[in-house]
């Protein structure tokens, strides 16, 4: 799929199936995330290729798509003089619900996002966290099959952020697929099972979070938990030609499991117990930067790719 604005490619050759469940969308500013949202909402036709949302072609079935999809924009986008319940009723009516059904759904959804006690307060009287919950309620009042959230935790304090993430995870657990766009990598790590990364309009990564954080083969490493300090073992492994780094009882061995026989010989001679073995994972920030570098055209040219 390709979307261009004159000489600028907003999306360039994107080919990805967004998984059901809770998927994080990452990318620096200008990566193409907003354009992808417009395509998914049926507001932007691709210039090449095709887009299908919940089985419906976009933008040909845009009216049906918008009945099946909920969108929480990053901008406040609230009517300051309307009460919370009125805002959600308005959103429900725009999604095709009758007046009666919209009223019932609005009050039920406000309770679900824990704004029931503020349903008759105007938006301008709500805290930032309250306004974020209100916008979430407006996005999900019509019980969409897919919920697209753009920076839902932006500006929130740690407690409010944790509460918002818990709400989003609860919605996903109830059967609604969620596409969560954020610059906060910890949000994706906390609740998402999959991640999609865009860079310069291209797809830099798509897959499970654990694979996103798994270092490539030439950097493969195994995290070993020992039953005592690992510093001496790291030195002995180095003498045996196996690079390793120690931190307390944790040992990162720069080799994939199953570990070489020489590792077990060193551990056995030292009489050290091994409590666990697991693939070493990068921090989310390290993985994010690595995937962006993999998509760097100057890097590809330098490496002759």
């Amino acid at each position: 799929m390709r979307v261009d604005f004159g000489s600028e490619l907003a999306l360039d050759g994107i080919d990805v199936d967004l998984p059901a469940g809770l998927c994080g969308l990452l990318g620096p500013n200008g990566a193409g995330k907003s354009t992808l949202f417009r395509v998914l909402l049926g507001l932007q036709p691709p210039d090449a290729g095709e887009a299908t949302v919940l089985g419906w072609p976009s933008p040909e079935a845009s009216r049906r798509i918008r009945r099946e999809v909920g969108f929480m924009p990053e901008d406040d986008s609230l009517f300051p003089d309307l009460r919370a319940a009125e805002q959600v009723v308005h959103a429900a009516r725009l999604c095709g619900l009758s007046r009666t059904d919209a009223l019932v759904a609005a009050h039920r959804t406000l309770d679900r996002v824990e704004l029931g006690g503020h349903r008759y307060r105007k938006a301008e009287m709500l805290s930032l966290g309250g306004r974020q919950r209100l916008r979430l309620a407006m996005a999900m009042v019509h019980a969409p099959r897919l919920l697209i959230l753009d920076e839902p935790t932006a500006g929130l304090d740690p407690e409010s952020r944790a509460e918002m993430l818990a709400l989003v995870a609860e919605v996903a657990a109830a059967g609604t697929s969620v596409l969560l766009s954020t610059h906060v990598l910890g949000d994706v790590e906390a609740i998402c099972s999959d991640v999609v990364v865009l860079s310069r309009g291209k797809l830099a990564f798509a897959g499970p979070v654990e694979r996103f954080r798994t270092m490539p083969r030439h950097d493969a490493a195994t995290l070993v938990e020992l039953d005592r300090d690992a510093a001496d073992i790291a030195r002995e492994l180095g003498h045996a030609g196996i690079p390793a780094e120690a931190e307390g009882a944790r040992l990162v061995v720069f080799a994939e499991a199953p570990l070489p026989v020489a590792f077990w010989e060193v551990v056995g001679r030292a009489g050290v117990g091994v409590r666990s073995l697991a693939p070493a994972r990068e921090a989310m920030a390290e993985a994010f930067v690595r995937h962006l570098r993999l998509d760097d055209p100057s890097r590809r040219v330098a490496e002759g790719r």
Side-chain angles (χ1 to χ4, degrees), residues 248-264:
R250 295 161 60 93
L251 184 70
V252 177
V253 181
F254 292 95
E256 281 187 303
L259 293 175
V261 173
F263 168 83
W264 297 105

Side-chain angles (χ1 to χ4, degrees), residues 252-301:
V252 177
V253 181
F254 292 95
E256 281 187 303
L259 293 175
V261 173
F263 168 83
W264 297 105
E265 291 176 343
V266 168
V267 169
R269 286 197 301 269
V272 177
V274 175
R275 292 177 173 173
S276 66
L277 297 172
R281 306 293 187 193
E282 295 170 292
M284 289 291 290
E286 293 171 344
F288 180 62
V289 170
R290 175 169 61 82
H291 285 291
L292 293 185
R293 285 175 177 166
L294 291 174
D295 188 55
D296 186 344
S298 63
R299 181 180 184 274
R300 290 198 293 270
V301 170

Side-chain angles (χ1 to χ4, degrees), residues 14 16 23-28 31 33 185 195-199 201-207 212 287-289 291-292 295:
I14 296 293
V16 61
C23 178
L25 177 63
L26 300 175
K33 301 188 296 297
L185 300 177
V195 62
V196 169
V197 181
L198 296 183
S199 174
K202 294 180 180 292
L203 182 68
F205 177 85
F212 172 74
F288 180 62
V289 170
H291 285 291
L292 293 185
D295 188 55

